[in-house]
Amino acid sequence: MTTSFIQSNPHPSMPAPPMDIGPGRWLRREVFSSPQQAIATLVGTYVVYMLLSTIIDFAIVRAVWIGTDKSACTGLSYEVGACWPFIWAKLGQLTYGFYPADERWRVNLVLVFAVVLLIPLLVPRVPYKLHNAVAFFGVLPVFAFSFLYGGPIITPWLKVASVMLLAASVVMLAIHLMVLNEQARAKQAVGYSILVIAIITGILVPHFANASTVPVVETTLTLGCLAAALEALVQRGAAARHKWALFGLGAAGAGWILAAAVSSGAIDKPALPVVPTSEWGGLFVTLVVATTGIVASLPIGIVLALARRSEASIIRTTAVIFIEVVRGVPLITVLFFATYMLPLFLENSPDAMVRVLVGISLFSGAYMAETIRGGLQAIPSGQHEAAAALGLNYSKSIGLIVLPQALRLVIPGIVNSFIGLVKDTTLVSIVAIFDLLGGLRAAFADPNWAGPSALYTGFAFAGIIYFSFCYLISSYSAHLEQRLRVDHGR
Amino acid sequence: MHRVAPREGRNAPRTALINDPKVRRFLLQALLTALLAFAAYSAVQNAATNLANQRIASGFGFLDQVAGFGISQTLIPWAETMTYGRAYVVGLLNTLFVSAVSIILATILGFAVGIGRLAPNFVISQLARWYVEVVRNLPLLFQILFWYLAVLSAMPSPRSALSILGTVFVSQRGVTLPQPVIQPGAAVVGIAALALIAAGAFAVRWSKARRDQTGTGLSKKASIALSIGALLILGACYVFAGEPVQLEPAKQGRFNLAGGVTMMPEFAAFVIALTVYSAANIGEIVRAGIQGVGKGQTEAGRSLGLKPGTILRLITIPQAMRIIVPMLTSMYLNIVKNSSLGVSIGYPDLVSVGGTILNNTGQGIEVIGMWMVTYLTISIITSLFMNWYNARIALVAR
């Protein structure tokens, strides 16, 4: 009888050859795989060593840490590296510019608010994104500018409220027109004529009275809404939506009163000392310019991108010309345009800082438009068709179906253009706005500190700040990209 | 956008006029046109009033006036008695010059960085990676000021200039390169070089035609031998013509450098900054392009028995170029636009010279308009050229 042998358990696998595991494999495969590679590795290591040792030597080993002026950093027995006292002495100027020292708490407070609102916006898990976004993109800019600039505290909010109420009354009027359209032709004709008469009266009366005291837009809107409300009352039994006309009347009236109160200067009392923008500077201005560009670029970009894809030829051409011209010229010419040309074209020249912010916003908006257009093009036409089949109108199909998908696709692109914007803010120093880099150049000129050591230290300091900002944003963008890709894979 | 055609005739649903897309589109466009017209009208009105208040005459007449300021670097002859128009041209040429030099250098460095990032060698790829990370995350203006203020200004005076092998000198006054000295007889060498290049081109074409027909072209050994022969002939021509072309390095004098071609520090710092900055971006473009070529392509090449270098040259790069070229186009345009930052360190480029003209004459609208038109023209010409190149290398669908 023969015994058969069948192995029932798999034989344990052999260990890898000793040279093919662990650091040995890595060394052989990636570092010393051939003589050429070995030479490249050695040369590369030498370069890395030189760079690191120079940096450490400069920033730590040969650095001076304490002192009050440049004598601390000169005349030592060894060649001095970084002169950190220079940074300590100039820290206030580099951060706030010439913002008065007593008022700097305002800058800090705004910064704290910004960070508190921004962090939950960036962490994907936190809910209430929409509320958060409205607070950051809508409320914060108004608060920040009125608070940083100073002057009356309540008035800016009343101005905003007045504008919003008037906008609401415009919407109500539009709804009234729609209701009017659903009615018989004769009623339509009467309704339209009453409205037209009201609007013409609204324009003419302030013109003949005194245009500077009676606001034209507000009066026109109020009269229009009044006419609409009267019609609604007279034509009893019309659609229930007609009550919006009454709300419109209320909104327009309230807006009118608020506007009048603001312009009369009745509510100016609780006020902060005014800090003109010429005293703003340093890192703070860098952040103001970058944030304004970021906040403004999104709505401008969305409108331009939609306009560029519009079927209406005049709208499309206008958008194309604007986008291509702005993208075809350097930012510095746009800033020159905003600084030197804008005041010529306007009746009252706005503040220098505001002009630069307008230039930056238009510039970043044009670039953002192209990023968003990329997302819009990636949405298949089936989505538009499905929206149309559901009976959604243009604004609903864009706002509810197309834009949410398109924006999600281009989030990495949007974040990347933010990085570009942070770097581009340095250009404002060419048109005499003192951002971090401008403040640095001013600090170099201080005779108490001027010298090569201060120069290197200043560049090291500013470099670390710019690098950490941009590197943080780009790491966040990479993280986001990863997350979105995972979502798509599912 | 995607609309169902409305029913015609008596059965058509009664829609309000304002809900008709055509009417609505017309109204919107009319509104936009009216707004634009109003904006343009009030802008012109305000500009006229403001200019009248400042007593500035509009128009381009100022281009014929005498400029009266000096320009530190000029490619065409320049004197203070010449006109603003010519000053503008001088600035334009400087912009084009610095852009062209930076584009060439950045492309070379950028391809090296991009390929380095994908190198199998750990140290090299990490070095390239951190170069890209650091340079891309620092503002260009910061880098320009760094190279200008912290590096070139800190160089020794010309008397003790740093010299690289006794030919290139680096000092506070800039970078001094050897000056080419050309004597009669150079024409002979030039003609010989041209003839040899033509012969080489002919040989390459002949070899390719033969390979297409018979499968074997010139062998590698034969082509190396021919190249060496051509170089020897050229060398012989050079010697017999009496060595007519020579590079003469500057001589270090007591106080200054004598001879040589000196690039002013503004130019040198600006070129270095633009090159270093753009090369990091080009490196990323090259990396994206090479990674964009399917892995199967490399594997197919390997299974055909091609060597790694051949795979890179014949399979990867031609396909990667299709991804790279459009991105490279916008990068080149960026370099041209970024060359406007020369104004920050006083390099007399378009913006710098234009700014001086603007300050002297107050002709803001005209000068800024000229800038915009000039940059747009450069952008359009560059795009056209790169599109033409892109079309040449694009995938040919059969």
Side-chain angles (χ1 to χ4, degrees), chain B residues 313-331:
Chain B
R313 191 163 52 88
L314 295 180
I315 296 182
T316 313
I317 292 204
Q319 299 188 67
M321 285 311 270
R322 291 186 194 130
I323 307 174
I324 291 175
V325 165
M327 296 203 270
L328 210 53
T329 307
S330 59
M331 194 58 225

mmCIF file of all heavy atoms in Angstrom, chain B residues 313-331:
data_model
loop_
_atom_site.group_PDB
_atom_site.id
_atom_site.type_symbol
_atom_site.label_atom_id
_atom_site.label_comp_id
_atom_site.label_asym_id
_atom_site.label_seq_id
_atom_site.Cartn_x
_atom_site.Cartn_y
_atom_site.Cartn_z
ATOM 1 N N ARG B 313 11.790 59.886 -25.261
ATOM 2 C CA ARG B 313 11.933 60.783 -26.394
ATOM 3 C C ARG B 313 10.863 60.543 -27.460
ATOM 4 O O ARG B 313 10.330 61.481 -28.034
ATOM 5 C CB ARG B 313 13.333 60.575 -27.003
ATOM 6 C CG ARG B 313 13.747 61.614 -28.018
ATOM 7 C CD ARG B 313 15.255 61.543 -28.226
ATOM 8 N NE ARG B 313 15.703 60.189 -28.540
ATOM 9 C CZ ARG B 313 15.755 59.700 -29.775
ATOM 10 N NH1 ARG B 313 15.392 60.438 -30.792
ATOM 11 N NH2 ARG B 313 16.168 58.464 -29.984
ATOM 12 N N LEU B 314 10.559 59.266 -27.723
ATOM 13 C CA LEU B 314 9.671 58.965 -28.839
ATOM 14 C C LEU B 314 8.222 58.759 -28.430
ATOM 15 O O LEU B 314 7.317 58.910 -29.252
ATOM 16 C CB LEU B 314 10.159 57.706 -29.568
ATOM 17 C CG LEU B 314 11.512 57.828 -30.247
ATOM 18 C CD1 LEU B 314 11.884 56.538 -30.926
ATOM 19 C CD2 LEU B 314 11.481 58.955 -31.262
ATOM 20 N N ILE B 315 7.971 58.382 -27.178
ATOM 21 C CA ILE B 315 6.595 58.052 -26.801
ATOM 22 C C ILE B 315 6.031 59.053 -25.806
ATOM 23 O O ILE B 315 4.971 59.631 -26.032
ATOM 24 C CB ILE B 315 6.524 56.625 -26.219
ATOM 25 C CG1 ILE B 315 6.913 55.644 -27.321
ATOM 26 C CG2 ILE B 315 5.138 56.339 -25.680
ATOM 27 C CD1 ILE B 315 6.845 54.219 -26.934
ATOM 28 N N THR B 316 6.754 59.277 -24.708
ATOM 29 C CA THR B 316 6.172 60.112 -23.647
ATOM 30 C C THR B 316 6.120 61.573 -24.047
ATOM 31 O O THR B 316 5.056 62.210 -24.005
ATOM 32 C CB THR B 316 6.978 59.951 -22.350
ATOM 33 O OG1 THR B 316 7.194 58.564 -22.128
ATOM 34 C CG2 THR B 316 6.220 60.514 -21.185
ATOM 35 N N ILE B 317 7.279 62.127 -24.428
ATOM 36 C CA ILE B 317 7.329 63.582 -24.634
ATOM 37 C C ILE B 317 6.398 64.055 -25.753
ATOM 38 O O ILE B 317 5.657 65.021 -25.560
ATOM 39 C CB ILE B 317 8.790 64.039 -24.821
ATOM 40 C CG1 ILE B 317 9.494 63.852 -23.487
ATOM 41 C CG2 ILE B 317 8.847 65.484 -25.304
ATOM 42 C CD1 ILE B 317 10.674 64.680 -23.237
ATOM 43 N N PRO B 318 6.374 63.381 -26.927
ATOM 44 C CA PRO B 318 5.462 63.895 -27.954
ATOM 45 C C PRO B 318 4.014 63.952 -27.484
ATOM 46 O O PRO B 318 3.269 64.882 -27.830
ATOM 47 C CB PRO B 318 5.617 62.891 -29.096
ATOM 48 C CG PRO B 318 6.930 62.267 -28.881
ATOM 49 C CD PRO B 318 7.154 62.245 -27.406
ATOM 50 N N GLN B 319 3.593 62.971 -26.676
ATOM 51 C CA GLN B 319 2.210 63.008 -26.192
ATOM 52 C C GLN B 319 2.055 64.011 -25.066
ATOM 53 O O GLN B 319 1.015 64.662 -24.959
ATOM 54 C CB GLN B 319 1.793 61.620 -25.703
ATOM 55 C CG GLN B 319 1.852 60.583 -26.799
ATOM 56 C CD GLN B 319 1.257 59.269 -26.339
ATOM 57 O OE1 GLN B 319 0.071 59.177 -26.089
ATOM 58 N NE2 GLN B 319 2.097 58.257 -26.226
ATOM 59 N N ALA B 320 3.103 64.101 -24.236
ATOM 60 C CA ALA B 320 3.016 65.061 -23.132
ATOM 61 C C ALA B 320 2.928 66.480 -23.679
ATOM 62 O O ALA B 320 2.249 67.331 -23.106
ATOM 63 C CB ALA B 320 4.214 64.921 -22.209
ATOM 64 N N MET B 321 3.599 66.749 -24.813
ATOM 65 C CA MET B 321 3.599 68.101 -25.366
ATOM 66 C C MET B 321 2.191 68.587 -25.651
ATOM 67 O O MET B 321 1.895 69.773 -25.534
ATOM 68 C CB MET B 321 4.422 68.154 -26.661
ATOM 69 C CG MET B 321 5.916 68.111 -26.455
ATOM 70 S SD MET B 321 6.478 69.276 -25.225
ATOM 71 C CE MET B 321 6.781 70.700 -26.232
ATOM 72 N N ARG B 322 1.308 67.665 -26.019
ATOM 73 C CA ARG B 322 -0.077 68.086 -26.318
ATOM 74 C C ARG B 322 -0.741 68.641 -25.082
ATOM 75 O O ARG B 322 -1.616 69.490 -25.164
ATOM 76 C CB ARG B 322 -0.878 66.893 -26.833
ATOM 77 C CG ARG B 322 -0.414 66.476 -28.180
ATOM 78 C CD ARG B 322 -1.284 65.409 -28.761
ATOM 79 N NE ARG B 322 -0.553 64.863 -29.879
ATOM 80 C CZ ARG B 322 -0.338 63.587 -30.079
ATOM 81 N NH1 ARG B 322 -0.837 62.711 -29.249
ATOM 82 N NH2 ARG B 322 0.357 63.194 -31.103
ATOM 83 N N ILE B 323 -0.351 68.112 -23.901
ATOM 84 C CA ILE B 323 -0.924 68.649 -22.658
ATOM 85 C C ILE B 323 -0.169 69.901 -22.251
ATOM 86 O O ILE B 323 -0.751 70.858 -21.736
ATOM 87 C CB ILE B 323 -0.846 67.586 -21.540
ATOM 88 C CG1 ILE B 323 -1.474 66.294 -22.030
ATOM 89 C CG2 ILE B 323 -1.482 68.083 -20.273
ATOM 90 C CD1 ILE B 323 -1.311 65.150 -21.062
ATOM 91 N N ILE B 324 1.152 69.877 -22.497
ATOM 92 C CA ILE B 324 2.001 70.945 -21.977
ATOM 93 C C ILE B 324 1.782 72.255 -22.733
ATOM 94 O O ILE B 324 1.680 73.321 -22.121
ATOM 95 C CB ILE B 324 3.483 70.512 -22.056
ATOM 96 C CG1 ILE B 324 3.740 69.380 -21.052
ATOM 97 C CG2 ILE B 324 4.401 71.675 -21.771
ATOM 98 C CD1 ILE B 324 5.127 68.806 -21.150
ATOM 99 N N VAL B 325 1.689 72.195 -24.073
ATOM 100 C CA VAL B 325 1.754 73.428 -24.866
ATOM 101 C C VAL B 325 0.667 74.452 -24.505
ATOM 102 O O VAL B 325 0.979 75.629 -24.296
ATOM 103 C CB VAL B 325 1.764 73.105 -26.374
ATOM 104 C CG1 VAL B 325 1.470 74.340 -27.203
ATOM 105 C CG2 VAL B 325 3.115 72.542 -26.743
ATOM 106 N N PRO B 326 -0.607 74.039 -24.379
ATOM 107 C CA PRO B 326 -1.597 75.075 -24.014
ATOM 108 C C PRO B 326 -1.295 75.733 -22.673
ATOM 109 O O PRO B 326 -1.420 76.958 -22.529
ATOM 110 C CB PRO B 326 -2.915 74.291 -23.942
ATOM 111 C CG PRO B 326 -2.681 73.066 -24.715
ATOM 112 C CD PRO B 326 -1.238 72.744 -24.591
ATOM 113 N N MET B 327 -0.858 74.909 -21.702
ATOM 114 C CA MET B 327 -0.551 75.494 -20.389
ATOM 115 C C MET B 327 0.691 76.365 -20.469
ATOM 116 O O MET B 327 0.782 77.403 -19.812
ATOM 117 C CB MET B 327 -0.335 74.377 -19.367
ATOM 118 C CG MET B 327 -1.566 73.547 -19.123
ATOM 119 S SD MET B 327 -1.503 72.746 -17.522
ATOM 120 C CE MET B 327 -0.705 71.230 -17.937
ATOM 121 N N LEU B 328 1.650 75.919 -21.294
ATOM 122 C CA LEU B 328 2.880 76.696 -21.442
ATOM 123 C C LEU B 328 2.564 78.053 -22.079
ATOM 124 O O LEU B 328 3.173 79.071 -21.726
ATOM 125 C CB LEU B 328 3.861 75.901 -22.313
ATOM 126 C CG LEU B 328 5.342 76.105 -22.060
ATOM 127 C CD1 LEU B 328 5.663 75.890 -20.594
ATOM 128 C CD2 LEU B 328 6.160 75.165 -22.920
ATOM 129 N N THR B 329 1.596 78.067 -23.002
ATOM 130 C CA THR B 329 1.211 79.328 -23.637
ATOM 131 C C THR B 329 0.787 80.347 -22.592
ATOM 132 O O THR B 329 1.271 81.479 -22.583
ATOM 133 C CB THR B 329 0.020 79.093 -24.584
ATOM 134 O OG1 THR B 329 0.348 78.056 -25.464
ATOM 135 C CG2 THR B 329 -0.318 80.344 -25.330
ATOM 136 N N SER B 330 -0.107 79.906 -21.690
ATOM 137 C CA SER B 330 -0.578 80.891 -20.713
ATOM 138 C C SER B 330 0.548 81.257 -19.757
ATOM 139 O O SER B 330 0.599 82.385 -19.261
ATOM 140 C CB SER B 330 -1.794 80.376 -19.971
ATOM 141 O OG SER B 330 -1.487 79.197 -19.309
ATOM 142 N N MET B 331 1.472 80.320 -19.534
ATOM 143 C CA MET B 331 2.616 80.647 -18.674
ATOM 144 C C MET B 331 3.497 81.708 -19.337
ATOM 145 O O MET B 331 3.958 82.645 -18.682
ATOM 146 C CB MET B 331 3.417 79.374 -18.406
ATOM 147 C CG MET B 331 4.408 79.501 -17.295
ATOM 148 S SD MET B 331 3.620 79.966 -15.751
ATOM 149 C CE MET B 331 4.743 81.233 -15.215
#
